[in-house]
């Protein structure tokens, strides 16, 4: 239970912080750790690791997400920011298709079940080893430390005061990749909090200071994940409730608040 709660904290912080960095890097509120295919790549790596046994979950996720990050960075050299988001969505769909092929060709039903239970993101830590935990926590610490170090420049970049170099953006994307891998490789794909939570934070707190949004989004993401975790553990009505699906239902009022507030401000 304590290990599950630890990863509720890790995912609740890592995904919103990673999403915020993407939004500030590209000055686009559609920026998200999944919109550039990073989350899909982490899942593909975990699927390959599960089905083949050639490495651990975290190592497989790390390798695939690193390759995806490098591809996205190369694309940034030739396309605009708007087109990068479009490319990322299409590229993520392509990676997701590869993941589907790998999973549907599972050698046996036990491996397929193991992957599904991991992908359901219920913090059960299916097939997670001690080395997976150590590696993922190291990635989390490095990614979070980098987010704090880069906060001032990202804030100034968001305001239009400076323009970040391509090399700097590449370094930031690498650190975001660390955060994504730390969460997804252990917990599976968790939607909403990497896109919805940062946008809610930016709606309720009118500031460009990314540090403040780190704090708000991290607290909000952890709180939302904790509530969802408790619901699927103790209020499941006798059925299996995946965290991601349950969170989408719980988060619906927050989405209505976000869009309702945005419409009122536009009026």
């Amino acid at each position: 239970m304590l290990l599950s709660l630890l990863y509720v904290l890790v995912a609740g912080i890592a995904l919103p912080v990673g999403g915020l960095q993407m939004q500030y890097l590209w000055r686009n509120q559609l920026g998200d750790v999944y919109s550039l295919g990073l989350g899909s790549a982490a899942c593909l790596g975990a699927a390959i690791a599960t089905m083949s046994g050639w490495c651990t979950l975290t190592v497989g996720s790390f390798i695939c997400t690193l390759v995806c990050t490098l591809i996205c960075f190369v694309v940034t050299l030739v396309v605009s920011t708007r087109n990068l988001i479009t490319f990322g969505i299409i590229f993520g769909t392509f990676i997701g298709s590869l993941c589907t092929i790998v999973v549907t060709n599972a050698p046996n039903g036990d491996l397929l079940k193991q992957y599904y239970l991991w992908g359901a993101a219920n913090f059960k830590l299916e097939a997670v080893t001690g080395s997976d935990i150590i590696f993922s926590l190291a990635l989390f610490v490095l990614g979070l430390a980098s987010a704090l170090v880069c906060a001032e420049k990202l804030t100034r970049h968001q305001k239009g005061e400076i323009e970040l170099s391509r090399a700097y953006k590449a370094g930031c994307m690498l650190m975001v990749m660390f955060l994504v891998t730390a969460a997804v490789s252990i917990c599976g794909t968790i939607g909403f909090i990497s896109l919805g939570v940062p946008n809610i934070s930016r709606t309720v707190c009118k500031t460009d200071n990314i540090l403040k949004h780190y704090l708000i989004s991290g607290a909000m993401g952890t709180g939302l994940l904790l509530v969802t975790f408790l619901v699927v553990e103790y209020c499941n009505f006798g059925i299996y409730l995946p965290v991601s699906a349950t969170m989408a239902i719980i988060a619906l009022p927050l989405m209505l608040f976000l869009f309702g507030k945005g419409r009122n401000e536009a009026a």
Side-chain angles (χ1 to χ4, degrees):
M1 174 65 76
L2 289 178
L3 206 52
S4 295
L5 291 175
L6 172 63
Y7 276 96
V8 167
L9 179 65
V10 168
I13 295 173
L15 296 176
V17 168
L20 278 166
Q21 288 183 87
M22 285 297 197
Q23 291 180 11
Y24 274 58
L25 276 173
W26 313 122
R27 296 180 181 136
N28 192 320
Q29 286 188 256
L30 291 179
D32 173 41
V33 299
Y34 296 113
S35 63
L36 294 184
L38 302 186
S40 298
C43 290
L44 174 61
I48 294 173
T50 300
M51 302 308 160
S52 66
W54 70 280
C55 66
T56 64
L57 283 168
T58 307
V59 171
S61 292
F62 178 81
I63 293 172
C64 282
T65 313
L66 177 60
V67 171
C68 176
T69 303
L70 293 175
I71 291 173
C72 287
F73 178 66
V74 170
V75 171
T76 65
L77 302 179
V78 295
V79 303
S80 66
T81 299
R82 180 180 298 178
N83 288 335
L84 176 66
I85 299 295
T86 303
F87 166 81
I89 294 171
I90 296 172
F91 186 52
T93 302
F94 167 73
I95 296 175
S97 299
L98 294 181
C99 187
T100 301
I101 292 172
V102 171
V103 172
T104 52
N105 284 279
N108 56 68
D110 288 339
L111 289 178
L112 184 61
K113 181 180 178 181
Q114 178 181 311
Y115 176 80
Y116 174 76
L117 290 176
W118 167 83
N122 274 35
F123 300 99
K124 298 294 186 182
L125 279 65
E126 297 288 337
V128 173
T129 65
S131 59
D132 280 328
I133 293 171
I134 293 172
F135 189 27
S136 68
L137 291 179
L139 291 175
F140 173 71
V141 170
L142 287 172
L144 186 59
S146 172
L148 296 174
V149 170
C150 298
E152 182 182 355
K153 283 192 174 181
L154 286 173
T155 297
R156 294 181 62 196
H157 175 71
Q158 169 70 17
K159 291 179 178 179
E161 296 176 358
I162 62 172
E163 185 62 42
L164 298 176
S165 68
R166 288 171 176 172
Y168 195 89
K169 288 181 179 180
C172 288
M173 284 182 63
L174 184 64
M175 293 300 106
V176 171
M177 185 270 288
F178 280 14
L179 289 174
V180 175
T181 305
V184 176
S185 65
I186 302 295
C187 309
T189 302
I190 302 173
F192 181 77
I193 61 174
S194 66
L195 178 62
V197 167
N199 275 293
I200 291 175
S201 175
R202 295 176 68 178
T203 299
V204 299
C205 182
K206 298 299 183 181
T207 178
D208 286 323
N209 189 332
I210 198 172
L211 275 175
K212 291 184 179 180
H213 291 303
Y214 285 164
L215 291 172
I216 296 171
S217 295
M220 195 179 299
T222 302
L224 183 57
L225 265 184
L226 181 59
V227 169
T228 305
F229 174 70
L230 293 175
V231 167
V232 300
E233 281 289 307
Y234 303 109
C235 306
N236 52 33
F237 307 107
I239 61 175
Y240 191 89
L241 295 174
V243 161
S244 287
T246 307
M247 179 182 290
I249 297 172
I250 294 174
L252 181 60
L254 292 175
M255 293 303 297
L256 294 176
F257 165 77
L258 175 63
F259 287 109
K261 189 174 180 63
R263 189 176 69 174
N264 290 337
E265 289 177 351

